[in-house]
Coordinates of all heavy atoms in Angstrom, one line a residue:
M1 N -135.2 53.1 151.7 CA -133.8 53.2 151.7 C -133.3 54.0 150.5 O -133.8 53.8 149.4 CB -133.2 51.8 151.7 CG -131.7 51.7 151.7 SD -131.1 50.0 151.7 CE -131.1 49.6 153.4
S2 N -132.4 54.9 150.7 CA -131.9 55.8 149.7 C -130.9 55.0 148.8 O -130.4 53.9 149.2 CB -131.2 57.0 150.2 OG -130.0 56.6 150.9
E3 N -130.6 55.5 147.6 CA -129.7 54.9 146.7 C -128.3 54.8 147.4 O -127.6 53.8 147.3 CB -129.6 55.7 145.4 CG -128.6 55.2 144.4 CD -129.1 53.8 143.9 OE1 -130.3 53.6 143.8 OE2 -128.2 53.0 143.6
E4 N -127.9 55.9 148.1 CA -126.6 55.9 148.8 C -126.6 54.8 149.9 O -125.6 54.1 150.0 CB -126.4 57.3 149.4 CG -125.0 57.4 150.1 CD -124.8 58.7 150.7 OE1 -125.3 59.7 150.1 OE2 -124.1 58.8 151.7
A5 N -127.7 54.7 150.6 CA -127.8 53.6 151.7 C -127.7 52.2 151.1 O -127.0 51.3 151.6 CB -129.0 53.8 152.5
R6 N -128.4 52.0 149.9 CA -128.3 50.7 149.3 C -126.9 50.4 148.8 O -126.4 49.3 149.0 CB -129.2 50.7 148.1 CG -130.7 50.4 148.4 CD -131.5 50.1 147.2 NE -131.6 51.2 146.3 CZ -132.5 52.1 146.3 NH1 -133.5 52.1 147.2 NH2 -132.5 53.1 145.4
H7 N -126.2 51.4 148.3 CA -124.8 51.2 147.8 C -123.9 50.9 149.0 O -123.1 50.0 148.9 CB -124.3 52.5 147.1 CG -122.9 52.4 146.6 ND1 -122.6 51.6 145.6 CD2 -121.8 52.9 147.1 CE1 -121.3 51.6 145.4 NE2 -120.8 52.4 146.3
R8 N -124.0 51.6 150.1 CA -123.2 51.3 151.3 C -123.5 49.9 151.8 O -122.5 49.2 152.2 CB -123.5 52.3 152.4 CG -122.8 53.7 152.2 CD -122.8 54.5 153.5 NE -124.1 54.6 154.2 CZ -125.0 55.5 154.0 NH1 -124.8 56.5 153.1 NH2 -126.2 55.5 154.6
A9 N -124.7 49.5 151.8 CA -125.1 48.1 152.3 C -124.5 47.1 151.3 O -123.9 46.1 151.8 CB -126.6 48.0 152.3
A10 N -124.5 47.3 150.0 CA -124.0 46.4 149.1 C -122.5 46.3 149.2 O -121.9 45.2 149.2 CB -124.4 46.8 147.7
V11 N -121.8 47.4 149.3 CA -120.3 47.4 149.4 C -119.9 46.8 150.7 O -118.8 46.2 150.8 CB -119.8 48.9 149.3 CG1 -118.4 49.0 149.6 CG2 -120.1 49.4 147.9
S12 N -120.7 46.9 151.8 CA -120.3 46.3 153.1 C -120.5 44.8 153.2 O -120.0 44.2 154.1 CB -121.0 47.0 154.2 OG -122.4 46.6 154.2
D13 N -121.1 44.2 152.2 CA -121.4 42.7 152.3 C -120.2 42.0 151.7 O -120.0 42.0 150.5 CB -122.6 42.4 151.5 CG -123.0 40.9 151.6 OD1 -122.2 40.1 152.1 OD2 -124.1 40.6 151.1
P14 N -119.4 41.3 152.5 CA -118.2 40.7 152.0 C -118.5 39.4 151.2 O -117.6 39.0 150.4 CB -117.4 40.3 153.3 CG -118.4 40.2 154.3 CD -119.5 41.2 154.0
D15 N -119.7 38.9 151.3 CA -120.0 37.7 150.6 C -120.6 38.0 149.2 O -120.6 37.1 148.3 CB -121.0 36.9 151.3 CG -120.5 36.3 152.6 OD1 -119.3 36.0 152.7 OD2 -121.3 36.2 153.6
A16 N -120.9 39.2 148.9 CA -121.5 39.5 147.6 C -121.2 41.0 147.2 O -122.0 41.8 147.2 CB -123.0 39.4 147.7
P17 N -119.9 41.2 146.9 CA -119.5 42.6 146.6 C -120.1 42.9 145.2 O -120.3 42.1 144.4 CB -118.0 42.5 146.5 CG -117.7 41.1 146.2 CD -118.8 40.3 146.9
P18 N -120.4 44.2 145.0 CA -120.9 44.6 143.7 C -119.8 44.4 142.6 O -118.6 44.4 142.9 CB -121.1 46.1 143.9 CG -121.0 46.4 145.3 CD -120.2 45.3 146.0
A19 N -120.3 44.2 141.4 CA -119.4 43.9 140.3 C -118.7 45.2 140.0 O -119.2 46.3 140.1 CB -120.2 43.5 139.1
T20 N -117.4 45.0 139.6 CA -116.6 46.2 139.2 C -117.0 46.6 137.8 O -117.7 45.9 137.0 CB -115.1 45.8 139.1 OG1 -114.9 44.9 138.1 CG2 -114.7 45.3 140.5
K21 N -116.6 47.8 137.3 CA -116.9 48.3 136.0 C -116.3 47.3 135.0 O -116.9 47.1 133.9 CB -116.4 49.7 135.8 CG -117.2 50.7 136.5 CD -116.8 52.1 136.3 CE -117.7 53.1 137.0 NZ -117.3 54.5 136.8
A22 N -115.1 46.8 135.2 CA -114.5 45.9 134.3 C -115.3 44.6 134.2 O -115.4 44.0 133.1 CB -113.0 45.6 134.8
Q23 N -115.8 44.1 135.3 CA -116.6 42.9 135.3 C -117.9 43.1 134.5 O -118.3 42.2 133.7 CB -116.9 42.4 136.7 CG -115.7 41.8 137.5 CD -116.0 41.6 138.9 OE1 -116.7 42.4 139.6 NE2 -115.5 40.6 139.5
L24 N -118.5 44.2 134.7 CA -119.7 44.6 134.0 C -119.5 44.7 132.5 O -120.3 44.3 131.7 CB -120.4 45.8 134.6 CG -121.0 45.7 136.0 CD1 -121.4 47.1 136.5 CD2 -122.1 44.8 136.0
A25 N -118.3 45.2 132.1 CA -118.0 45.4 130.7 C -117.8 44.0 130.0 O -118.2 43.9 128.9 CB -116.8 46.2 130.6
R26 N -117.3 43.0 130.8 CA -117.1 41.7 130.2 C -118.4 40.9 130.2 O -118.4 39.8 129.6 CB -116.0 41.0 131.0 CG -114.6 41.5 130.7 CD -113.6 40.6 131.3 NE -113.8 40.1 132.7 CZ -113.4 40.7 133.8 NH1 -112.6 41.8 133.6 NH2 -113.6 40.3 135.0
A27 N -119.3 41.2 131.0 CA -120.6 40.4 131.2 C -121.3 40.4 129.9 O -121.4 41.4 129.2 CB -121.4 41.0 132.3
R28 N -121.8 39.2 129.6 CA -122.7 39.0 128.4 C -124.1 38.9 128.9 O -124.5 38.1 129.7 CB -122.3 37.8 127.7 CG -120.9 37.9 127.1 CD -120.5 36.7 126.3 NE -119.1 36.8 125.9 CZ -118.5 36.0 125.2 NH1 -119.1 34.9 124.8 NH2 -117.3 36.2 124.8
R29 N -124.9 39.8 128.3 CA -126.3 39.8 128.7 C -127.1 38.9 127.8 O -127.0 38.9 126.6 CB -126.9 41.2 128.6 CG -126.1 42.1 129.5 CD -126.8 43.4 129.8 NE -126.0 44.4 130.4 CZ -125.8 44.4 131.7 NH1 -126.3 43.5 132.5 NH2 -125.1 45.4 132.3
V30 N -127.9 38.0 128.4 CA -128.8 37.2 127.7 C -130.1 37.9 127.4 O -130.7 38.4 128.4 CB -129.1 35.8 128.4 CG1 -130.1 35.0 127.7 CG2 -127.8 35.1 128.7
P31 N -130.6 38.0 126.2 CA -131.8 38.7 125.9 C -133.0 38.0 126.6 O -133.0 36.7 126.7 CB -131.9 38.7 124.4 CG -131.0 37.6 124.0 CD -130.0 37.4 125.0
T32 N -134.0 38.7 127.0 CA -135.2 38.1 127.6 C -136.1 37.6 126.4 O -136.1 38.2 125.3 CB -136.0 39.0 128.5 OG1 -136.5 40.1 127.7 CG2 -135.1 39.6 129.6
V33 N -136.8 36.6 126.7 CA -137.8 36.0 125.7 C -138.8 37.1 125.4 O -139.1 37.3 124.2 CB -138.4 34.7 126.2 CG1 -139.5 34.3 125.2 CG2 -137.4 33.7 126.4
R34 N -139.3 37.8 126.4 CA -140.3 38.8 126.1 C -139.8 39.9 125.2 O -140.5 40.3 124.3 CB -140.8 39.4 127.5 CG -142.0 40.3 127.3 CD -142.4 40.9 128.7 NE -142.5 40.0 129.7 CZ -143.6 39.3 130.1 NH1 -144.7 39.5 129.4 NH2 -143.5 38.4 131.1
A35 N -138.6 40.3 125.4 CA -138.0 41.3 124.5 C -137.8 40.8 123.1 O -138.1 41.5 122.1 CB -136.7 41.8 125.1
L36 N -137.3 39.6 123.0 CA -137.2 39.0 121.7 C -138.5 38.9 120.9 O -138.6 39.2 119.8 CB -136.6 37.6 121.8 CG -135.1 37.5 122.1 CD1 -134.7 36.1 122.3 CD2 -134.3 38.2 121.0
R37 N -139.5 38.4 121.7 CA -140.8 38.3 121.1 C -141.4 39.6 120.6 O -141.9 39.7 119.5 CB -141.8 37.6 122.0 CG -141.7 36.2 122.2 CD -142.9 35.6 123.0 NE -143.4 36.3 124.1 CZ -144.4 37.1 124.1 NH1 -145.1 37.3 123.0 NH2 -144.8 37.7 125.2
A38 N -141.2 40.6 121.4 CA -141.7 42.0 121.1 C -141.0 42.5 119.9 O -141.7 43.0 119.0 CB -141.5 42.9 122.3
R39 N -139.7 42.3 119.8 CA -138.9 42.8 118.7 C -139.4 42.0 117.4 O -139.4 42.6 116.3 CB -137.5 42.6 118.9 CG -136.6 43.3 117.9 CD -135.1 43.3 118.3 NE -134.6 42.0 118.0 CZ -133.5 41.4 118.5 NH1 -132.9 42.0 119.5 NH2 -133.1 40.3 118.1
M40 N -139.7 40.8 117.5 CA -140.1 40.0 116.4 C -141.6 40.0 116.1 O -142.1 39.4 115.2 CB -139.6 38.5 116.6 CG -138.1 38.4 116.7 SD -137.5 36.9 117.3 CE -138.1 35.8 116.0
N41 N -142.3 40.6 117.0 CA -143.8 40.7 116.9 C -144.4 39.4 116.9 O -145.3 39.1 116.0 CB -144.2 41.6 115.7 CG -145.6 42.1 115.8 OD1 -146.1 42.3 116.9 ND2 -146.3 42.2 114.7
L42 N -144.0 38.5 117.8 CA -144.6 37.1 117.9 C -145.3 36.9 119.2 O -144.9 37.5 120.2 CB -143.5 36.1 117.8 CG -142.7 36.0 116.5 CD1 -141.5 35.0 116.6 CD2 -143.6 35.6 115.3
T43 N -146.3 36.1 119.2 CA -147.0 35.7 120.5 C -146.1 34.6 121.1 O -145.2 34.1 120.5 CB -148.4 35.1 120.2 OG1 -148.2 33.9 119.5 CG2 -149.3 36.1 119.5
Q44 N -146.4 34.3 122.3 CA -145.7 33.2 123.0 C -145.8 31.9 122.2 O -144.8 31.2 122.0 CB -146.2 32.9 124.4 CG -145.8 34.0 125.4 CD -146.3 33.7 126.8 OE1 -147.3 32.9 127.0 NE2 -145.7 34.3 127.8
E45 N -147.0 31.6 121.7 CA -147.2 30.4 120.9 C -146.4 30.4 119.6 O -145.8 29.4 119.3 CB -148.7 30.3 120.6 CG -149.6 30.0 121.8 CD -150.0 31.3 122.6 OE1 -149.6 32.4 122.2 OE2 -150.6 31.1 123.6
E46 N -146.4 31.5 118.9 CA -145.7 31.6 117.7 C -144.1 31.5 117.9 O -143.5 30.8 117.2 CB -146.0 33.0 117.0 CG -147.4 33.1 116.5 CD -147.8 34.5 116.1 OE1 -147.1 35.5 116.6 OE2 -148.7 34.6 115.3
F47 N -143.7 32.1 119.0 CA -142.2 32.1 119.3 C -141.8 30.6 119.6 O -140.8 30.1 119.1 CB -141.9 33.0 120.5 CG -140.4 33.1 120.8 CD1 -139.6 34.0 120.2 CD2 -139.9 32.2 121.7 CE1 -138.3 34.1 120.5 CE2 -138.5 32.3 122.0 CZ -137.7 33.3 121.4
A48 N -142.6 30.0 120.5 CA -142.3 28.6 120.8 C -142.3 27.7 119.6 O -141.4 26.9 119.4 CB -143.4 28.1 121.9
A49 N -143.3 27.8 118.8 CA -143.4 27.0 117.6 C -142.3 27.2 116.6 O -141.7 26.3 116.1 CB -144.8 27.2 116.9
R50 N -142.0 28.5 116.4 CA -140.9 28.8 115.4 C -139.6 28.3 115.8 O -138.8 27.9 115.0 CB -140.9 30.3 115.3 CG -139.9 30.8 114.2 CD -140.0 32.2 113.9 NE -139.2 32.6 112.8 CZ -138.9 33.8 112.4 NH1 -139.5 34.8 113.0 NH2 -138.1 34.0 111.4
F51 N -139.3 28.3 117.1 CA -138.0 27.9 117.6 C -138.0 26.5 118.3 O -137.0 26.2 119.0 CB -137.3 29.0 118.4 CG -137.1 30.3 117.6 CD1 -137.9 31.4 117.9 CD2 -136.3 30.3 116.6 CE1 -137.8 32.5 117.2 CE2 -136.1 31.5 115.8 CZ -136.9 32.6 116.1
H52 N -139.1 25.8 118.1 CA -139.2 24.4 118.6 C -139.0 24.3 120.1 O -138.2 23.5 120.6 CB -138.2 23.5 117.9 CG -138.4 23.4 116.5 ND1 -138.3 22.2 115.8 CD2 -138.8 24.3 115.5 CE1 -138.6 22.4 114.5 NE2 -138.9 23.7 114.3
L53 N -139.6 25.3 120.8 CA -139.5 25.3 122.3 C -140.9 24.9 122.9 O -141.9 25.3 122.3 CB -139.1 26.7 122.8 CG -137.8 27.2 122.4 CD1 -137.7 28.7 122.6 CD2 -136.7 26.5 123.1
P54 N -140.9 24.2 124.0 CA -142.2 24.0 124.7 C -142.8 25.3 125.1 O -142.2 26.2 125.7 CB -141.8 23.1 125.9 CG -140.5 22.6 125.6 CD -139.8 23.6 124.7
L55 N -144.1 25.5 124.8 CA -144.8 26.7 125.2 C -144.7 26.9 126.7 O -144.5 28.1 127.1 CB -146.3 26.6 124.7 CG -147.2 27.8 125.1 CD1 -146.6 29.1 124.6 CD2 -148.6 27.5 124.6
G56 N -144.9 25.9 127.5 CA -144.8 26.1 128.9 C -143.4 26.6 129.4 O -143.3 27.4 130.3
T57 N -142.4 26.2 128.7 CA -141.0 26.7 129.0 C -140.9 28.2 128.7 O -140.4 28.9 129.5 CB -140.0 25.9 128.2 OG1 -140.0 24.5 128.6 CG2 -138.6 26.4 128.5
V58 N -141.4 28.6 127.6 CA -141.4 30.0 127.2 C -142.2 30.8 128.3 O -141.7 31.8 128.7 CB -142.0 30.2 125.8 CG1 -142.2 31.7 125.5 CG2 -141.1 29.6 124.8
R59 N -143.4 30.3 128.6 CA -144.2 31.0 129.7 C -143.4 31.1 131.0 O -143.4 32.1 131.6 CB -145.5 30.3 129.8 CG -146.5 30.5 128.7 CD -147.8 29.8 129.0 NE -148.7 30.1 127.8 CZ -149.6 29.3 127.5 NH1 -149.9 28.2 128.1 NH2 -150.4 29.6 126.4
D60 N -142.8 30.0 131.4 CA -142.1 29.9 132.7 C -140.9 30.9 132.6 O -140.7 31.6 133.6 CB -141.5 28.6 133.0 CG -142.6 27.6 133.4 OD1 -143.7 28.0 133.7 OD2 -142.3 26.4 133.4
W61 N -140.2 31.0 131.5 CA -139.1 32.0 131.4 C -139.7 33.4 131.6 O -139.1 34.2 132.3 CB -138.4 31.9 130.1 CG -137.6 30.6 130.0 CD1 -137.1 29.8 130.9 CD2 -137.1 30.1 128.7 NE1 -136.4 28.8 130.4 CE2 -136.3 28.9 129.0 CE3 -137.2 30.5 127.4 CZ2 -135.7 28.2 128.1 CZ3 -136.5 29.7 126.4 CH2 -135.8 28.6 126.8
E62 N -140.7 33.7 130.9 CA -141.3 35.1 130.9 C -141.8 35.4 132.3 O -141.8 36.6 132.7 CB -142.3 35.3 129.8 CG -141.7 35.3 128.4 CD -142.7 35.9 127.4 OE1 -143.7 36.5 127.8 OE2 -142.4 35.7 126.2
Q63 N -142.4 34.5 132.9 CA -143.0 34.7 134.2 C -142.0 34.7 135.4 O -142.3 35.0 136.5 CB -144.2 33.8 134.5 CG -145.3 33.9 133.6 CD -146.4 32.8 133.7 OE1 -146.2 31.9 134.5 NE2 -147.4 33.0 132.9
G64 N -140.8 34.3 135.1 CA -139.8 34.2 136.1 C -139.8 32.9 136.9 O -139.1 32.8 137.9
A65 N -140.7 32.0 136.5 CA -140.7 30.7 137.3 C -139.5 29.9 137.2 O -139.1 29.2 138.1 CB -142.0 29.9 136.8
H66 N -138.8 30.0 136.0 CA -137.6 29.3 135.7 C -136.7 30.3 134.9 O -137.2 31.1 134.2 CB -137.8 28.0 134.9 CG -138.6 27.0 135.6 ND1 -138.1 26.3 136.7 CD2 -139.9 26.6 135.5 CE1 -139.0 25.5 137.1 NE2 -140.1 25.7 136.4
R67 N -135.4 30.0 135.0 CA -134.4 30.8 134.2 C -133.9 29.9 133.1 O -133.7 28.7 133.4 CB -133.3 31.3 135.1 CG -133.8 32.3 136.1 CD -132.7 33.0 136.8 NE -131.9 33.7 135.8 CZ -130.7 34.2 136.0 NH1 -130.1 34.0 137.2 NH2 -130.0 34.8 135.0
P68 N -133.6 30.4 132.0 CA -133.0 29.5 130.9 C -131.7 28.9 131.4 O -130.9 29.7 132.0 CB -132.8 30.4 129.7 CG -133.7 31.6 130.0 CD -133.9 31.7 131.5
D69 N -131.5 27.6 131.1 CA -130.2 27.1 131.5 C -129.1 27.6 130.4 O -129.5 28.3 129.5 CB -130.2 25.5 131.5 CG -130.6 24.9 130.2 OD1 -130.5 25.6 129.1 OD2 -131.0 23.7 130.2
K70 N -127.9 27.1 130.6 CA -126.8 27.7 129.7 C -127.1 27.4 128.3 O -126.9 28.3 127.4 CB -125.5 27.0 130.2 CG -124.3 27.7 129.6 CD -124.2 29.2 130.1 CE -122.9 29.8 129.6 NZ -122.9 31.2 129.9
A71 N -127.5 26.2 127.9 CA -127.8 25.9 126.5 C -128.9 26.8 126.0 O -128.9 27.3 124.8 CB -128.2 24.4 126.4
A72 N -130.0 27.0 126.8 CA -131.1 27.9 126.3 C -130.6 29.3 126.2 O -131.0 30.0 125.3 CB -132.2 27.8 127.3
Q73 N -129.7 29.7 127.1 CA -129.2 31.1 127.0 C -128.4 31.3 125.7 O -128.5 32.3 125.0 CB -128.2 31.4 128.2 CG -128.9 31.5 129.5 CD -128.0 31.7 130.7 OE1 -126.8 32.0 130.5 NE2 -128.4 31.4 131.9
V74 N -127.7 30.3 125.3 CA -126.9 30.3 124.0 C -127.9 30.4 122.9 O -127.8 31.3 122.0 CB -126.0 29.1 123.9 CG1 -125.4 29.0 122.4 CG2 -124.9 29.2 124.9
L75 N -129.0 29.6 122.9 CA -130.0 29.6 121.9 C -130.6 31.0 121.8 O -130.8 31.5 120.7 CB -131.0 28.5 122.1 CG -132.2 28.5 121.1 CD1 -131.7 28.3 119.7 CD2 -133.2 27.5 121.5
L76 N -131.0 31.6 122.9 CA -131.7 32.9 122.9 C -130.7 33.9 122.4 O -131.2 34.9 121.7 CB -132.1 33.2 124.3 CG -133.3 32.4 124.9 CD1 -133.5 32.7 126.3 CD2 -134.5 32.5 124.0
T77 N -129.4 33.8 122.7 CA -128.5 34.8 122.1 C -128.4 34.7 120.6 O -128.3 35.7 119.9 CB -127.1 34.6 122.8 OG1 -127.2 34.8 124.2 CG2 -126.1 35.6 122.3
V78 N -128.3 33.5 120.1 CA -128.3 33.3 118.7 C -129.6 33.8 118.0 O -129.5 34.4 117.0 CB -128.0 31.8 118.3 CG1 -128.0 31.6 116.8 CG2 -126.6 31.4 118.9
I79 N -130.7 33.5 118.6 CA -132.0 34.0 118.1 C -132.0 35.5 118.0 O -132.4 36.1 117.1 CB -133.2 33.4 118.9 CG1 -133.3 31.9 118.7 CG2 -134.5 34.2 118.6 CD1 -134.3 31.3 119.7
A80 N -131.5 36.1 119.1 CA -131.4 37.6 119.1 C -130.6 38.1 118.0 O -130.9 39.2 117.4 CB -130.9 38.1 120.4
R81 N -129.5 37.5 117.6 CA -128.6 37.9 116.6 C -129.0 37.6 115.2 O -128.8 38.4 114.3 CB -127.2 37.4 116.8 CG -126.6 38.0 118.1 CD -125.1 37.6 118.2 NE -124.7 38.2 119.5 CZ -123.6 37.8 120.1 NH1 -122.8 36.8 119.6 NH2 -123.2 38.4 121.2
D82 N -129.6 36.4 115.0 CA -130.0 36.0 113.6 C -131.2 35.0 113.7 O -131.0 33.8 113.5 CB -128.8 35.4 112.9 CG -129.1 35.3 111.4 OD1 -130.2 35.5 110.9 OD2 -128.1 35.1 110.7
P83 N -132.4 35.5 114.0 CA -133.5 34.6 114.2 C -133.8 33.8 112.9 O -134.3 32.7 113.0 CB -134.7 35.6 114.5 CG -134.2 36.9 114.1 CD -132.8 36.9 114.2
E84 N -133.6 34.4 111.7 CA -133.9 33.7 110.5 C -133.0 32.5 110.3 O -133.4 31.5 109.8 CB -133.8 34.7 109.3 CG -134.8 35.8 109.3 CD -136.3 35.3 109.5 OE1 -136.7 34.3 108.9 OE2 -137.0 36.0 110.3
A85 N -131.7 32.7 110.6 CA -130.8 31.5 110.5 C -131.2 30.4 111.4 O -131.2 29.2 111.0 CB -129.4 32.0 110.9
V86 N -131.7 30.7 112.6 CA -132.1 29.7 113.6 C -133.4 29.0 113.0 O -133.5 27.8 113.0 CB -132.4 30.2 115.0 CG1 -132.9 29.2 115.9 CG2 -131.1 30.8 115.6
A87 N -134.3 29.8 112.5 CA -135.5 29.2 112.0 C -135.2 28.3 110.8 O -135.8 27.2 110.7 CB -136.5 30.3 111.6
R88 N -134.3 28.7 109.9 CA -133.9 27.9 108.7 C -133.3 26.6 109.2 O -133.5 25.6 108.7 CB -133.0 28.7 107.8 CG -133.6 29.7 106.9 CD -132.7 30.2 105.8 NE -131.4 30.6 106.3 CZ -131.1 31.9 106.8 NH1 -132.0 32.8 106.8 NH2 -129.9 32.2 107.2
A89 N -132.4 26.7 110.2 CA -131.7 25.5 110.7 C -132.7 24.5 111.3 O -132.4 23.3 111.2 CB -130.6 25.9 111.7
L90 N -133.8 25.0 111.8 CA -134.7 24.1 112.5 C -135.8 23.6 111.5 O -136.5 22.7 111.8 CB -135.4 24.8 113.6 CG -134.5 25.2 114.8 CD1 -135.3 26.1 115.8 CD2 -134.1 23.9 115.5
E91 N -135.8 24.1 110.3 CA -136.8 23.6 109.3 C -136.6 22.2 108.9 O -137.6 21.4 108.7 CB -136.8 24.5 108.1 CG -137.4 25.8 108.2 CD -137.2 26.7 107.0 OE1 -136.6 26.3 106.0 OE2 -137.8 27.9 107.1
G92 N -135.4 21.8 108.7 CA -135.1 20.4 108.2 C -135.0 19.4 109.2 O -135.3 18.5 109.5

């Protein structure tokens, strides 16, 4: 299917219209665990331990078996912005 055909199919679906440019501009993207780990140069085990997350949960998120819930999305966003602050907060 061509890009044009995909676009026509998406636009024609009344139950799931494509997002507008304004909606996309307001959307907040949650960083992926894999991208965070790569940027921080951590293994799954190191990432899980540093941020007090179950290793299985980190693996499930990366493999797509589960998506982070809203609270986890907030945590990942804060980790992306200031991982050292999160690590310090979890030390005590």
Side-chain angles (χ1 to χ4, degrees):
M1 181 180 273
S2 71
E3 181 66 31
E4 183 180 328
R6 279 194 296 271
H7 180 72
R8 279 195 314 270
V11 171
S12 69
D13 184 351
D15 295 325
T20 65
K21 288 184 180 182
Q23 289 170 323
L24 289 174
R26 287 191 314 269
R28 296 184 182 179
R29 301 196 189 280
V30 175
T32 65
V33 175
R34 188 180 314 268
L36 285 175
R37 284 193 318 99
R39 192 171 79 202
M40 297 167 61
N41 199 30
L42 297 173
T43 66
Q44 287 180 338
E45 293 82 3
E46 292 166 338
F47 186 88
R50 183 169 188 191
F51 299 112
H52 299 219
L53 296 165
L55 177 58
T57 298
V58 172
R59 287 184 179 151
D60 286 348
W61 289 343
E62 287 196 17
Q63 294 172 359
H66 297 285
R67 295 188 62 194
D69 63 15
K70 192 65 172 171
Q73 290 174 17
V74 169
L75 177 61
L76 292 172
T77 300
V78 175
I79 290 170
R81 291 187 182 164
D82 196 348
E84 297 308 317
V86 176
R88 281 192 311 273
L90 293 171
E91 284 175 0

